[in-house]
Amino acid sequence: MAESPQTSSVKARLGEITERIVRRSHDTRSRYLDRIAAAAEKAPSRAKLGCANQAHGFAACGPGDKAMLREGSGANLAIVTAYNDMLSAHQPYEHYPALIRAAARAAGGVAQVAGGVPAMCDGVTQGEAGMELSLFSRDVIALSTAVALSHQTFDAAVYLGICDKIVPGLVIGALSFGHLPAVFVPAGPMTSGLPNDEKAKIRQLFAEGKVGRDALLEAESQSYHGPGTCTFYGTANTNQMMMEIMGLHLPGASFVNPNTPLRDALTTAAAERAMEVTALGNDYRPVGRMLDERVFVNGIVGLHATGGSTNHTMHVVAMAAAAGIKLSWDDFSDLADITPLLCRVYPNGKADVNHFHAAGGMAFIIRELIGEGLLHRDVETVWGAGLDAYTSEPRLSSEGELVWQDGPATSADENVVRPVARPFHATGGLKLLAGDIGRAVIKTSAIASERHVIEAPAKVFHSQEELQRAFKAGTLTGDFVAVVRYQGPKANGMPELHKLMPPLGVLQDRGQKVALVTDGRLSGASGKVPAAIHVTPEAADGGAIALIREGDIVRVDAVAGTLTVKVDPAEWAVRTPAAADLEASHWGVGRELFGSFRAAVGTADTGATIFAVA
């Protein structure tokens, strides 16, 4: 069937944007590929280690594994795990190593837990001092991954991680060993509990003082009630979407619930596939070569089509840089202009990720995007060549065998997932803003269209606690733009500021026009209040957001893509930045250990990373 003019135009624009990234990244990508090619020539290096080195590597193994590592020709599979049993999303990983070891042995090799990486929960630390370590934990995870693989005794790796900073950190770490194949293994979302919109209502009632803490805790407990990721479409579940559309998961693996036979079968299959794609066989798939410019473009398209987390405007940039690829926020913006919004998953709608999966999920979304020419279908994946396999879904046969079948060609619920022909919105749910305040991003997919432009006097705060106190004191009257600054990575690690949302939501529901401008973060759960976030340069790095004064007229315009302040240019040019006392954010709860991170971290639009940017 011939392509429609619309599809041809979209495909051409996708190609133009991709080619622009390829040209920009030519030198850094070439150097990266040369480095991993040189590393591949030395691998597998296990037999080249000294005898004492080798003996240390298999000393604790059982007889069969020890014999294979000592004399055999099979592959050694590294398990890098974010398991802990405190956090719901990572608790299911407890039994994965046993499944992976069994699969590796059946394939004639060995699997070893090479190392663990930290996995902190933004839900637990939200609004607390520990949240100021959250973004930096991504780079700690990358460093921990490098330590795990530094023994250089592995032929491939499987990565067990699912939540906010864990997956991006694992990807960055995996790319530092880009000559090794990498398969990412999800744990899946928890089953549906109290609907997310009901939980949000209770939070807002609590903010208004209409219900007590007991009612709030009960609602939260009914929502977050079992093993698996939170069911709203925040950063954790956006991670899973991206790992699948970027070909790092097995097809259809992302949103299968934990502790089910299908979940375990997919984990076993992931280990089997990792054993098949090492340099010891004839289907070698090093992750650094696989994750090229086209794959990252596919990931960004998926982000826009599903209304995913704003955190990925930093994470994807940092991940790409680890592969020698230079992405910019302009690439995100230009791809948003050609990508329709196909999903309504909370906070962009009422459905949760289980409803999304049941309505068609990843197989349907990928099929639709391929059909419209919005994905590079000829990329390499861990499953093989091309994305077409990712339009299928895994099932267990009547004999209990894992099989894949064609995914749905139609949506089971167009309130949740829609085809390209009938999108929720013609463009993606993310917009780049720029102006005299700086550059920022805004997630529009959850915001009513009449709130896409807000112009109002500024009310200025240096913490979310200050704004909450003002709300409780009843001083947040009239229309206003809340400017919450000194919340960037250099200032205090760039915490998420979700405690701002209930009070601002209350005021918006009362009929006030409100918006937020901040150099901090909100992530995928940004909600219904217009929020210009990740403002860069940040206040602590000489950013113009530090020049805004109480009462200045600020305009957040998600239609025109501008972020401006109406101040006489002559006055603006001579203003002195407001000072902030950040000492309280630099000590306690381990924050004193991260002073070097705050000093070295880059800007939000270059990934907010301590590592050298490509």
Side-chain angles (χ1 to χ4, degrees):
M1 182 182 296
E3 290 181 349
S4 69
Q6 169 69 16
T7 300
S8 296
S9 175
V10 165
K11 185 179 289 187
R13 184 62 179 140
L14 184 80
E16 290 169 5
I17 297 168
T18 305
E19 182 56 32
R20 179 177 77 197
I21 297 167
V22 170
R23 289 194 303 270
R24 184 194 308 143
S25 308
H26 178 271
D27 291 349
T28 49
R29 178 65 173 167
S30 296
R31 287 195 294 272
Y32 174 79
L33 292 174
D34 288 344
R35 287 197 300 271
I36 66 169
E41 291 177 0
K42 301 175 184 177
S45 57
R46 185 167 57 254
K48 300 173 186 175
L49 295 175
C51 293
N53 306 68
Q54 288 191 60
H56 278 291
F58 56 65
C61 292
D65 289 352
K66 186 176 291 188
M68 206 297 297
L69 290 173
R70 179 172 179 165
E71 300 164 356
S73 58
N76 190 19
L77 181 60
I79 304 169
V80 181
T81 179
Y83 162 72
N84 63 54
D85 62 9
M86 172 194 167
L87 304 180
S88 64
H90 293 88
Q91 184 273 341
Y93 285 131
E94 182 173 13
H95 71 278
Y96 278 33
L99 294 172
I100 294 166
R101 289 189 192 102
R105 288 170 184 143
V110 171
Q112 297 177 296
V113 174
V117 302
M120 67 176 290
C121 179
D122 291 355
V124 175
T125 58
Q126 198 64 247
E128 303 295 332
M131 174 54 79
E132 295 178 2
L133 305 185
S134 171
L135 181 58
F136 289 145
S137 77
R138 180 196 65 194
D139 292 359
V140 172
I141 290 160
L143 294 169
S144 301
T145 301
V147 171
L149 298 177
S150 65
H151 301 100
Q152 299 191 78
T153 186
F154 303 108
D155 303 288
V158 290
Y159 297 90
L160 314 185
I162 198 164
C163 277
D164 295 25
K165 315 307 173 296
I166 294 92
V167 167
L170 289 172
V171 171
I172 293 169
L175 285 167
S176 72
F177 285 77
H179 62 288
L180 295 179
V183 179
F184 279 66
V185 186
M190 70 177 67
T191 56
S192 300
L194 181 73
N196 285 295
D197 60 333
E198 292 297 320
K199 173 192 66 182
K201 289 176 185 176
I202 299 298
R203 286 180 176 179
Q204 191 156 310
L205 290 171
F206 179 78
E208 295 178 88
K210 294 180 179 179
V211 301
R213 182 178 172 81
D214 288 347
L216 178 63
L217 183 58
E218 179 61 25
E220 301 287 358
S221 299
Q222 289 181 24
S223 180
Y224 308 118
H225 65 90
T229 62
C230 310
T231 60
F232 65 86
Y233 196 49
T235 309
N237 287 315
T238 305
N239 281 339
Q240 304 317 300
M241 177 281 299
M242 293 194 74
M243 292 301 95
E244 185 157 341
I245 208 167
M246 292 173 69
L248 285 168
H249 280 175
L250 269 56
S254 296
F255 298 115
V256 175
N257 298 125
N259 303 321
T260 61
L262 179 57
R263 178 82 275 160
D264 287 351
L266 284 164
T267 298
T268 296
E272 293 170 346
R273 186 58 183 159
M275 297 292 285
E276 292 170 351
V277 297
T278 72
L280 300 175
N282 58 8
D283 193 17
Y284 177 43
R285 294 179 178 275
V287 67
R289 194 175 69 200
M290 193 185 88
L291 293 187
D292 63 14
E293 294 89 346
R294 298 168 303 160
V295 169
F296 279 101
V297 166
N298 284 352
I300 298 171
V301 168
L303 177 71
H304 292 319
T306 58
S309 169
T310 54
N311 271 326
H312 284 288
T313 60
M314 293 183 293
H315 293 329
V316 177
V317 174
M319 289 189 291
I325 296 168
K326 296 182 177 182
L327 294 178
S328 75
W329 280 357
D330 296 291
D331 302 323
F332 282 77
S333 182
D334 290 346
L335 288 167
D337 288 343
I338 62 172
T339 305
L341 180 65
L342 303 182
C343 303
R344 286 287 192 201
V345 185
Y346 188 84
N348 308 330
K350 292 186 177 182
D352 67 21
V353 293
N354 292 309
H355 303 138
F356 163 75
H357 186 60
M362 291 303 300
F364 177 78
I365 291 295
I366 291 173
R367 183 188 302 276
E368 286 294 306
L369 293 173
I370 286 175
E372 187 63 9
L374 273 164
L375 292 176
H376 295 285
R377 69 190 301 180
D378 58 341
V379 295
E380 296 295 321
T381 75
V382 297
W383 199 236
L387 265 184
D388 286 352
Y390 287 76
T391 64
S392 62
E393 292 182 328
R395 292 285 187 270
L396 290 178
S397 70
S398 56
E399 293 79 27
E401 297 295 319
L402 181 62
V403 296
W404 274 263
Q405 62 186 39
D406 287 343
T410 58
S411 171
D413 186 349
E414 289 202 8
N415 292 314
V416 181
V417 180
R418 287 188 182 177
V420 168
R422 295 183 297 280
F424 290 102
H425 197 273
T427 59
L430 204 65
K431 187 79 174 181
L432 171 65
L433 306 179
D436 42 24
I437 296 175
R439 284 159 60 87
V441 295
I442 185 169
K443 184 175 179 180
T444 58
S445 52
I447 304 170
S449 57
E450 63 269 20
R451 299 189 183 110
H452 284 193
V453 179
I454 300 289
E455 181 175 299
K459 292 184 182 290
V460 180
F461 307 93
H462 287 176
S463 71
Q464 58 183 338
E465 291 76 19
E466 283 184 25
L467 186 144
Q468 288 177 309
R469 288 194 292 270
F471 172 75
K472 291 175 181 177
T475 60
L476 298 181
T477 57
D479 300 341
F480 67 94
V481 174
V483 177
V484 184
R485 61 196 180 195
Y486 287 99
Q487 303 299 307
K490 284 188 179 296
N492 62 356
M494 204 178 192
E496 290 180 358
L497 304 174
H498 283 299
K499 288 199 171 181
L500 295 173
M501 289 297 101
L504 292 177
V506 168
L507 299 175
Q508 181 172 272
D509 287 350
R510 290 176 182 171
Q512 293 172 240
K513 291 182 179 180
V514 298
L516 172 67
V517 173
T518 181
D519 48 12
R521 294 185 295 126
L522 281 177
S523 91
S526 300
K528 63 188 180 181
V529 176
I533 59 177
H534 306 174
V535 171
T536 185
E538 62 173 291
D541 198 28
I545 189 174
L547 301 178
I548 298 173
R549 295 178 180 172
E550 193 86 8
D552 286 347
I553 302 301
V554 173
R555 182 179 178 88
V556 179
D557 190 333
V559 177
T562 56
L563 181 62
T564 55
V565 59
K566 292 190 173 180
V567 176
D568 179 80
E571 179 192 343
W572 185 255
V574 297
R575 276 193 182 178
T576 302
D581 182 1
L582 300 173
E583 187 70 13
S585 289
H586 294 172
W587 297 93
V589 198
R591 289 174 290 180
E592 60 274 16
L593 302 177
F594 286 80
S596 60
F597 280 61
R598 290 188 294 270
V601 70
T603 58
D605 58 346
T606 58
T609 177
I610 64 168
F611 305 127
V613 177

